[in-house]
Amino acid sequence: MIEVAILLMAIATYLCRASGFVLMDMSLDSPRIRHTLTHVPGSVLVAMIAPYVLNRGHWAVVGLFVTAIAQIVLRKPLVSLVLGLTAVILVRAYI
Amino acid sequence: MAERSQGLGTLSGPQGPVPVETPPSFKWTRRGFHSGFIKGIPLALSIASYGFLFGIIAKEKQVGFGAALQMSLIIFAGTAQFGALDIWHATPPVLALFFQTLVINSRHLLMGLALRNWYRGASRPVRYISAFFMIDESWALTLNELDSATTDAGFMIGSGSVMYLAWALSTVVGYSVDFIADRRFSPEKLGLDVALPCVLVILVIPRWEGRSSLLPWICAALVSVLCDRWLPPGWNVLLGGISGVLAGSLFGRLEKNDD
């Protein structure tokens, strides 16, 4: 079951990657389609994050907030992550 | 994106020059591969830091070592793999994983199309191999290279390869780090149970495109939270994501996104 899941995910990923190369001979690149697709990654990521903020435990939110601020200011993924996790550790230890 | 000049060359076969609309002269050389491989190293290092995290979190989520490595080797898509960990179970929700991966990676359709002036003359095998190595980072690097008038597909395959190696190796290293086994450092004490959403937050920050992102993000968040309450795991991401995209597409303004 696990192998099937991984294989299907690989197929899904490759379909997405190859589709642009297959379709590039056609003129599908309309502003409408382009505009629609620009919203895809952000919306998907937000959909992943939202339940952590609203449904699952309030201490996670502290970490997410610190991580977000750190990433906006510093733009260094590992540093932002370490700061966010440190915030969670501190909050759990002392509050 | 500037339209590249093309059709300047003529195909001169043994039958003499053929007056056709020639594709841009297109190469696939070892030199391009090397160049991509070297120039890809800095971004590969940043990918390795994510791969390291992927290994650690995969272990924390009790994904087997084989499965985690397989994911990095044949899926090779960071956001999709972290997303999979988010809804992973002992019996994984196969359909949800498949559709979630499709949705997360659908941006690659656009990325591939963005390379079309460069690849239009390429043979099918070259296209299909390049497609496997087209991740966000190698794509960005390649677009950058395209501006300096290179027409060498080896570049994207080369830069993708070094990133592929970095991703697979760092997954192994992350998974092998054994501090979780020591119960004094439980995942919760280290904050590792929050690591995944933190990584997702790091990934989403650069996707903010000003006010046009506001409505899609709100819709995605609301629908996702509701689905998370009422539906099986995994569907919240798919349905939330689609709601966000629809909201942005139906109510957004077109002109801001025409570059």
Side-chain angles (χ1 to χ4, degrees):
Chain A
M1 208 57 175
I2 289 172
E3 273 72 21
V4 175
I6 294 174
L7 190 64
L8 280 176
M9 288 174 65
I11 291 171
T13 303
Y14 188 72
L15 283 178
C16 294
R17 288 192 175 146
S19 57
F21 286 86
V22 174
L23 298 176
M24 60 175 56
D25 295 324
M26 302 182 223
S27 52
L28 266 180
D29 194 14
S30 78
R32 182 95 238 174
I33 292 173
R34 198 192 304 179
H35 175 253
T36 300
L37 289 178
T38 53
H39 292 296
V40 173
S43 298
V44 170
L45 285 164
V46 168
M48 288 175 170
I49 296 164
Y52 286 97
V53 179
L54 294 169
N55 293 4
R56 294 168 202 165
H58 45 302
W59 295 131
V61 179
V62 178
L64 297 183
F65 186 73
V66 172
T67 306
I69 299 295
Q71 181 64 15
I72 290 167
V73 176
L74 303 170
R75 304 252 160 201
K76 298 255 190 299
L78 265 186
V79 178
S80 310
L81 182 71
V82 169
L83 289 175
L85 294 187
T86 308
V88 174
I89 293 169
L90 290 178
V91 164
R92 279 183 181 156
Y94 294 108
I95 296 180
Chain B
M1 193 191 319
E3 198 73 22
R4 283 171 57 76
S5 64
Q6 44 180 280
L8 297 175
T10 46
L11 276 177
S12 46
Q15 313 91 336
V18 188
V20 289
E21 273 208 330
T22 53
S25 61
F26 177 83
K27 294 174 297 183
W28 187 21
T29 69
R30 190 171 292 191
R31 204 149 150 232
F33 182 89
H34 277 294
S35 159
F37 199 90
I38 300 294
K39 288 185 182 168
I41 288 175
L43 280 173
L45 289 178
S46 121
I47 285 167
S49 66
Y50 284 107
F52 184 71
L53 285 173
F54 177 75
I56 292 178
I57 298 172
K59 188 176 195 174
E60 206 259 311
K61 292 268 175 182
Q62 292 168 351
V63 179
F65 175 75
L69 184 57
Q70 273 172 28
M71 283 164 92
S72 285
L73 284 177
I74 67 171
I75 302 174
F76 186 35
T79 311
Q81 287 178 228
F82 280 111
L85 293 185
D86 187 42
I87 62 171
W88 195 263
H89 281 271
T91 47
V94 175
L95 270 188
L97 282 168
F98 177 73
F99 286 113
Q100 175 177 303
T101 307
L102 267 187
V103 172
I104 291 173
N105 286 323
S106 58
R107 68 181 184 282
H108 287 94
L109 165 64
L110 187 73
M111 288 158 55
L113 286 178
L115 295 174
R116 75 191 200 287
N117 288 331
W118 203 35
Y119 269 90
R120 207 179 270 151
S123 69
R124 269 157 200 265
V126 167
R127 287 185 187 189
Y128 293 156
I129 296 171
S130 299
F132 180 80
F133 289 104
M134 186 181 69
I135 61 172
D136 291 357
E137 286 84 353
S138 63
W139 174 81
L141 212 58
T142 302
L143 260 194
N144 195 37
E145 197 71 10
L146 193 146
D147 290 335
S148 58
T150 323
T151 48
D152 196 331
F155 186 88
M156 188 153 83
I157 297 169
S159 58
S161 300
V162 68
M163 295 168 190
Y164 182 73
L165 288 176
W167 181 243
L169 285 175
S170 58
T171 301
V172 172
V173 173
Y175 201 96
S176 312
V177 175
D178 214 16
F179 54 85
I180 292 173
D182 187 341
R183 297 320 302 181
R184 277 178 304 168
F185 303 106
S186 70
E188 290 220 336
K189 277 188 188 155
L190 288 169
L192 283 180
D193 54 322
V194 194
L196 177 58
C198 285
V199 170
L200 298 177
V201 165
I202 290 169
L203 293 172
V204 82
I205 299 286
R207 308 285 183 191
W208 176 258
E209 292 179 50
R211 227 189 314 169
S212 69
S213 296
L214 187 63
L215 186 65
W217 286 27
I218 290 175
C219 284
L222 281 179
V223 173
S224 164
V225 166
L226 292 177
C227 293
D228 185 59
R229 288 256 163 97
W230 306 112
L231 294 180
W235 294 101
N236 65 314
V237 176
L238 182 67
L239 298 177
I242 289 174
S243 313
V245 171
L246 283 180
S249 173
L250 295 177
F251 302 107
R253 299 243 186 100
L254 268 177
E255 74 273 2
K256 269 189 84 177
N257 292 281
D258 284 332
D259 46 337

